[in-house]
Amino acid sequence: MEKLPSSHLNVKLIAFDLDDTLLTSGLEISPATVQAIRKCAERGIYIVLCSGRTENAILPYVRTLNIAGTQAGRYLISINGACIIDLHTRLPLRTCKLDGETLNTVYKEASARNLGCHVCDADTIYADRDTEWTRKDSIMCGLKFKCVENFSDFLNKGHPKILVPAPEKEVEVFLPQLRQVLKGRADVFTSKPFFLEVMPPDCGKGQSVLYLADYLGIPHEQTMGFGDSFNDESLLTLCGYGVAMCNGQEAIRQKADFVTRKSNDEDGIADFLENWVL
């Protein structure tokens, strides 16, 4: 599928998903991509890492880009849009949370299917059980892991999201069922085929990018988002320019304005920026 711009794009803020988008399969940002992003920042374009990961799991890539000390690199968006962080003050600009009742509904539904679940803060995964699946996110993101005995009580204080990690086929079955149970109360989607995530409604990556754009006085039509998966849908549909990775999900590529010519392992973002943004 070739969906490329016909001319140069006027952009003032670019948000990048991490896994399978900005990051290679080796979980690194390639030198060519780092260089292209730094050029954008030098031209005053805001660079925002925008991930389902927690703040501490994003920071290593902030350090790789080495622009956090500038105005252009000042902000990041974590937990799929639930939190916007000002890296200069280390304070949140925006936070969203699910209430305890909704969280416990997810916990009850998952437990009935013998599936574990977990919530998180900036540096720790808190799970209801210790299994290969509940540990998967902490291993991938380099976060601490803690099993919580009174998990239901722990959920009552509210959390930005709850995640149910499970084999892909089980997630496929559970996803539509949970969406029906939580209809109107929460957004339910997959970030990876084995990660089912539940978030507050209208609190996704795209909504947070537009919130940040409003805060900075940037017109929505001058925002751009790069992504590959279902948790990036709002990013690609709400930003002025939505760019899907050619290695992304077919449904996401269909909804994007543009699709990169190259994958995340072939400097796809660098190629797009160099040809149509810089």
Side-chain angles (χ1 to χ4, degrees):
M1 176 191 300
E2 185 168 290
K3 295 171 72 174
L4 297 170
S6 58
S7 61
H8 181 269
L9 304 175
N10 182 17
V11 181
K12 297 298 183 186
L13 184 156
I14 309 175
F16 300 93
D17 169 55
L18 289 186
D19 296 283
D20 301 315
T21 298
L22 185 63
L23 305 186
T24 66
S25 297
L27 301 182
E28 297 177 341
I29 308 176
S30 73
T33 301
V34 170
Q35 183 179 22
I37 288 176
R38 285 178 181 169
K39 285 182 184 178
C40 290
E42 288 167 3
R43 297 189 183 189
I45 299 172
Y46 281 88
I47 301 299
V48 183
L49 301 191
C50 184
S51 174
R53 293 172 179 237
T54 67
E55 178 186 351
N56 280 23
I58 299 173
L59 288 177
Y61 303 108
V62 171
R63 290 190 280 270
T64 297
L65 294 177
N66 196 28
I67 57 171
T70 70
Q71 185 66 16
R74 181 170 181 168
Y75 303 98
L76 68 77
I77 296 174
S78 65
I79 317 179
N80 280 324
C83 193
I84 305 173
I85 302 290
D86 182 336
L87 293 170
H88 289 190
T89 65
R90 298 310 297 267
L91 296 173
L93 289 181
R94 183 193 193 214
T95 56
C96 304
K97 283 186 176 183
L98 288 167
D99 60 77
E101 182 180 355
T102 302
L103 291 164
N104 270 296
T105 298
V106 178
Y107 176 40
K108 178 182 177 181
E109 294 290 332
S111 296
R113 294 162 175 80
N114 198 29
L115 300 176
C117 51
H118 65 70
V119 294
C120 61
D121 60 21
D123 63 1
T124 305
I125 298 287
Y126 300 93
D128 70 322
R129 64 193 75 188
D130 188 351
T131 69
E132 171 194 355
W133 289 102
T134 55
R135 280 189 176 268
K136 188 175 284 288
D137 201 13
S138 67
I139 293 170
M140 288 177 60
C141 296
L143 298 175
K144 292 182 285 187
F145 178 89
K146 183 175 181 180
C147 214
V148 179
E149 286 188 14
N150 299 313
F151 195 65
S152 180
D153 291 341
F154 186 73
L155 295 179
N156 282 333
K157 66 179 183 179
H159 296 272
K161 75 172 182 180
I162 186 166
L163 189 149
V164 181
E168 184 173 347
K169 290 184 178 180
E170 294 186 49
V171 169
E172 288 178 357
V173 173
F174 189 26
L175 176 63
Q177 297 171 349
L178 190 59
R179 274 184 175 157
Q180 186 60 36
V181 170
L182 297 177
K183 189 174 182 179
R185 297 166 57 192
D187 289 339
V188 184
F189 54 86
T190 55
S191 55
K192 289 185 176 292
F194 46 83
F195 282 166
L196 189 159
E197 304 203 18
V198 181
M199 293 273 300
D202 300 319
C203 193
K205 293 181 179 182
Q207 288 90 345
S208 285
V209 168
L210 297 190
Y211 182 98
L212 180 58
D214 288 342
Y215 177 81
L216 297 171
I218 295 172
H220 293 182
E221 60 266 25
Q222 292 183 328
T223 61
M224 175 179 284
F226 284 84
D228 71 283
S229 195
F230 295 108
N231 62 324
D232 301 317
E233 182 174 344
S234 66
L235 182 64
L236 301 189
T237 57
L238 295 180
C239 283
Y241 303 108
V243 187
M245 302 303 293
C246 66
N247 54 280
Q249 299 282 346
E250 170 66 22
I252 295 302
R253 299 202 307 271
Q254 291 283 355
K255 292 186 177 184
D257 298 303
F258 308 116
V259 177
T260 62
R261 295 187 294 192
K262 300 180 179 181
S263 74
N264 61 315
D265 286 325
E266 302 169 312
D267 297 324
I269 285 177
D271 175 71
F272 192 94
L273 295 177
E274 293 283 0
N275 282 280
W276 289 288
V277 176
L278 291 167

